């Protein structure tokens, strides 16, 4: 009976020396370590809009463009070409489809660089024109005029006869 | 040694410790979730996304397989020209009595002239379908790929660990490991251009008008009108991914 009384007296202090305490504090330490570790591991802005870094949206948005918005950008300087194109088959095409990306060319306007003078790159014309106009399986004649380049001209540069901006009216071109 | 602890004290004490232990990490979670970072420019992202659901239409009747889209895409998005990885590519289907042959040499960038034809032959441009239910996003273990509020799946190049799980998960084969950055890469419908009010590079350069891009949320947009007035279908509907690329006049053999 005396023993039991002593036990009861020591109950409170005894409690904090027990296995419960050791297990409990271990759990608390683990959880706190987890919280601290997580704070370091999870990057800034993660979870702002969903399970990803919100800041990455801006990083994606900031990527540079290579192609311009469209022909209206080219028209500002190269209006004569657009006049030549009026009513031509190639009128509906985008300049950059053949001439390649021009954003750097446009950005260089007014800048003190040689870029403005640099013409936008153009490939070998047989290869370039063949991309659309060479006969190949799958390319329907109903959709586009196609030829066999070697049969058609011996494979010489298309530009020697055809003006790409006025393909119908050039020397040797399909006269209307 | 064997001092007894009353059950009630044991339980209440244990509960208190547990509560204290949980409070710290939970508190940090809440703070993390609410942390608001500097919004981009003047508009917040939810404001930018508001009312926009981007969509893509491919008209296979119009495609002439010139490969300008494949080339422009690589130039715009800095994918090495000589590596056989593509954000968009063009497949050629030639059907004969022996069956269907499919090829896409160099991603369709330059189909060689004068190939043997078949009874039925056509091109099918492919690109990321920007699924409404994207499996690639679901499987990413680090949250490096995600769907924006206006419906485009992007990749966080800094976060991606290059585990290739998403590449396997994509039913359309639209993802690849970038040979230079060694992280997952994919078509983003040129999200950086779209945010600047431009169209994706492939749409911009397509000489045949086979690729259309616009806002499905706006019923007056070209893409919405095409979808509402034509028979269209997405690829692999049985996968339940709800693709946002719609094909007009696509043959049944294309999957």
């Amino acid at each position: 009976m005396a023993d039991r009384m002593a036990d009861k007296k020591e109950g409170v202090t005894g409690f904090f020396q027990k296995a419960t305490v050791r297990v409990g504090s271990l759990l608390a330490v683990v959880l706190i370590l987890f919280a601290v570790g997580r704070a370091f591991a999870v990057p800034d802005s993660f979870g702002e809009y969903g399970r990803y870094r919100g800041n990455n949206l801006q990083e994606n948005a900031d990527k540079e463009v290579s192609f311009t918005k469209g022909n209206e950008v080219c028209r500002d300087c190269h209006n004569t070409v657009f006049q030549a194109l009026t009513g031509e088959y190639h009128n509906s095409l985008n300049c950059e489809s053949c001439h390649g990306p021009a954003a750097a060319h446009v950005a260089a306007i007014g800048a003190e660089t040689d870029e403005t003078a640099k013409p936008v790159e153009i490939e070998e014309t047989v290869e370039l024109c063949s991309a659309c106009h060479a006969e190949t399986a799958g390319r329907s004649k109903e959709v586009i005029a196609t030829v066999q380049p070697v049969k058609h001209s011996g494979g010489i540069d298309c530009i020697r006869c055809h003006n790409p901006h006025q393909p119908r009216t050039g020397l040797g071109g399909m006269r209307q | 040694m064997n001092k007894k602890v009353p059950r009630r004290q044991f339980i209440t004490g244990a509960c208190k410790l547990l509560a204290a232990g949980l409070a710290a990490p939970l508190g940090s979670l809440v703070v993390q979730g609410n942390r608001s970072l500097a919004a981009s420019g003047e508009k917040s992202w939810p404001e930018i996304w508001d009312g926009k659901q981007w969509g893509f239409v491919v008209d296979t009747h119009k495609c002439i397989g010139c490969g300008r889209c494949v080339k422009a895409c690589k130039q715009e998005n800095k994918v090495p020209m000589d590596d056989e990885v593509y954000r968009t590519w063009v497949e050629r289907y030639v059907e004969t009595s022996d069956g269907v042959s499919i090829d896409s040499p160099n991603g369709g960038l330059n189909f060689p002239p004068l190939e043997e034809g078949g009874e039925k032959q056509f091109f099918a441009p492919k690109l990321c379908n920007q699924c409404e239910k994207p499996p690639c996003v679901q499987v990413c273990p680090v949250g490096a790929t995600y769907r924006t509020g206006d419906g485009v799946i992007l990749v966080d190049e800094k976060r991606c660990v290059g585990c290739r799980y998403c590449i396997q998960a994509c039913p359309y084969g639209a993802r690849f490991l970038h040979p230079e950055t060694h992280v997952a890469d994919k078509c983003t419908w040129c999200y950086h251009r779209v945010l600047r009010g431009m169209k994706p590079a492939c749409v911009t350069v397509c000489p045949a008008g086979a690729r259309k891009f616009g806002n499905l949320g706006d019923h007056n947009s070209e893409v919405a009108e095409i979808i509402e007035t034509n028979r269209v279908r997405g690829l692999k509907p049985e996968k339940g991914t709800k693709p946002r690329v719609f094909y007009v006049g696509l043959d049944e053999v294309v999957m």
Side-chain angles (χ1 to χ4, degrees):
Chain A
M1 195 65 188
D3 278 0
R4 286 201 66 154
M5 282 300 284
D7 267 1
K8 199 153 197 178
K9 232 180 188 175
E10 282 179 296
V12 180
T13 42
F15 173 77
F16 287 106
Q17 297 164 351
K18 285 292 168 189
T20 325
V21 183
R22 293 201 290 273
V23 173
S25 11
L26 188 66
L27 182 66
V29 167
V30 166
L31 287 172
I32 288 162
L33 279 178
F34 171 78
V36 173
R38 186 184 183 281
F40 279 105
V42 176
D44 277 355
S45 80
F46 198 92
E48 201 177 359
Y49 304 107
R51 196 179 163 268
Y52 59 93
R53 270 191 330 122
N55 286 355
N56 183 246
L57 286 162
Q58 195 57 47
E59 289 165 19
N60 266 296
D62 287 342
K63 286 185 177 170
E64 275 179 32
V65 296
S66 299
F67 286 82
T68 66
K69 188 170 185 178
N71 287 3
E72 63 264 36
V73 180
C74 311
R75 197 186 296 265
D76 284 345
C77 299
H78 302 285
N79 198 28
T80 46
V81 181
F82 282 89
Q83 283 169 358
L85 273 163
T86 309
E88 292 287 340
Y89 276 128
H90 286 172
N91 192 27
S92 61
L93 298 190
N94 189 288
C95 305
E96 289 164 290
S97 301
C98 302
H99 291 279
H105 174 73
V106 175
I109 295 171
E112 297 287 318
T113 60
D114 295 337
E115 285 290 323
T116 31
K118 231 184 235 175
V120 181
E121 182 191 348
I122 197 130
E123 300 165 66
E124 286 289 305
T125 55
V126 181
E127 195 190 313
L128 179 67
C129 302
S130 293
C132 295
H133 292 292
E135 274 180 29
T136 188
R139 193 167 290 153
S140 168
K141 277 190 183 296
E142 289 164 22
V143 181
I144 185 152
T146 54
V147 295
Q148 297 177 23
V150 178
K151 235 183 193 177
H152 177 73
S153 64
I156 58 165
D157 259 0
C158 309
I159 208 161
R160 285 177 62 179
C161 301
H162 299 278
N163 173 0
H165 294 141
Q166 293 181 315
R168 284 191 296 184
T169 51
L171 177 73
M174 193 168 74
R175 291 190 183 151
Q176 298 291 308
Chain B
M1 282 293 281
N2 287 321
K3 284 175 187 165
K4 282 187 181 170
V5 177
R7 184 173 293 166
R8 181 172 300 188
Q9 281 185 359
F10 176 92
I11 292 169
T12 49
C15 285
K16 278 178 194 166
L17 278 172
L18 197 65
L22 279 176
L26 283 179
S28 86
L29 277 179
V30 172
V31 172
Q32 195 92 42
N34 285 344
R35 187 187 297 169
S36 188
L37 281 118
S40 62
E42 309 84 47
K43 276 186 168 180
S44 72
W45 284 102
E47 279 172 340
I48 292 169
W49 295 328
D50 188 40
K52 294 193 188 89
Q53 284 301 318
W54 300 116
F56 205 105
V57 171
V58 176
D59 191 336
T60 48
H61 291 310
K62 289 181 179 168
C63 179
I64 56 170
C66 65
R68 297 299 89 188
C69 48
V70 181
K71 187 173 183 185
C73 174
K74 286 202 164 204
Q75 288 171 325
E76 178 71 33
N77 295 295
K78 296 169 183 64
V79 178
M81 198 62 77
D82 297 329
D83 284 296
E84 293 198 337
V85 287
Y86 310 92
R87 284 179 167 218
T88 185
W89 67 100
V90 182
E91 292 171 359
R92 174 167 59 185
Y93 290 72
V94 177
E95 283 186 65
T96 61
S97 47
D98 298 333
V100 187
S101 74
I102 308 164
D103 69 341
S104 183
N106 206 3
L109 205 155
N110 38 18
F111 283 103
L114 278 177
E115 293 275 308
E116 194 69 30
E119 288 155 14
K120 183 155 77 172
Q121 44 193 17
F122 54 89
F123 296 101
K126 296 272 184 86
L127 67 161
C128 174
N129 285 280
Q130 316 289 359
C131 308
E132 278 176 50
K133 304 218 177 275
C136 54
V137 172
Q138 197 181 4
V139 300
C140 180
V142 295
T145 188
Y146 56 95
R147 187 162 182 266
T148 64
D150 47 2
V152 179
I153 318 293
L154 299 178
V155 177
D156 183 343
E157 289 162 22
K158 288 185 188 164
R159 187 96 182 115
C160 176
V161 292
C163 74
R164 302 170 172 84
Y165 206 169
C166 56
I167 298 172
Q168 291 197 9
C170 176
Y172 306 104
R175 282 173 170 261
F176 56 93
L177 206 73
H178 194 287
E180 284 166 1
T181 60
H182 305 291
V183 295
D185 199 21
K186 66 179 282 293
C187 161
T188 58
W189 285 352
C190 287
Y191 199 58
H192 59 298
R193 293 175 61 81
V194 173
L195 290 170
R196 289 172 168 92
M198 302 174 173
K199 291 192 167 167
C202 59
V203 179
T204 305
V205 301
C206 179
R211 290 168 178 257
K212 306 280 182 197
F213 175 83
N215 185 6
L216 297 176
D218 173 10
H219 286 274
N220 297 319
S221 71
E222 193 180 10
V223 283
E225 204 180 311
I226 292 170
I227 289 167
E228 282 162 21
T229 56
N230 281 277
R231 270 191 211 186
V232 294
R233 78 169 170 99
L235 299 176
K236 299 189 182 178
E238 73 279 8
K239 297 285 182 191
T241 52
K242 297 195 177 173
R244 283 270 173 94
V245 176
F246 300 91
Y247 287 84
V248 179
L250 189 62
D251 194 272
E252 60 177 0
V253 299
V254 182
M255 296 208 293

